[in-house]
Amino acid sequence: QVQLVESGGGLVQPGGSLRLSCVASGFTIDRYHIGWYRQAPGKEREGVACVSVSDGSTHYTDSVKSRFIVSRDNAKNTMYLQMNSLEPKDTAVYYCAADTSLKLVTNPAYEWEHWGQGPQVTVSS
């Protein structure tokens, strides 16, 4: 069974940090492009960050550049999103995604092959 299981969500104060983990099962991520999306209440699911499987290059949406870091550990079959300097606007459900075809944060969410369950991240004082 193909699954992406996320952990690390929760409540954090503005300026704090969280790290989301996404463990893949049923497939190995070393041949997959990795992405993170988020969806805030009343808004469309938007791309946050991605990692290319071909060269390891990373891309971020403008709103998280210099604050978020996306990475992958193929040996652990796990992908990560390190979120620093969190702001209330970052409050959303965060989803990890994987696909064998190249994806960017500008790709619509429906184009990704596999998805995590989307834990909540809440940034509030």
Side-chain angles (χ1 to χ4, degrees), residues 47-112:
V48 176
C50 63
V51 181
S52 171
V53 70
S54 58
D55 60 5
S57 62
T58 59
H59 296 86
Y60 302 89
T61 192
D62 288 343
S63 63
V64 308
K65 288 179 179 177
S66 78
R67 298 190 297 120
F68 289 12
I69 302 172
V70 62
S71 62
R72 62 196 298 164
D73 188 334
N74 291 337
K76 297 181 179 179
N77 217 32
T78 302
M79 59 198 78
Y80 304 95
L81 183 67
Q82 177 67 45
M83 302 182 291
N84 302 312
S85 301
L86 284 163
E87 306 169 17
K89 67 179 181 181
D90 297 315
T91 295
V93 176
Y94 282 73
Y95 301 88
C96 60
D99 203 299
T100 54
S101 298
L102 177 64
K103 296 292 188 296
L104 303 175
V105 295
T106 52
N107 281 97
Y110 66 81
E111 294 185 359
W112 289 84

Side-chain angles (χ1 to χ4, degrees), residues 1-3 24-28 77:
Q1 183 178 358
V2 174
Q3 287 186 319
S25 62
F27 71 101
T28 55
N77 217 32

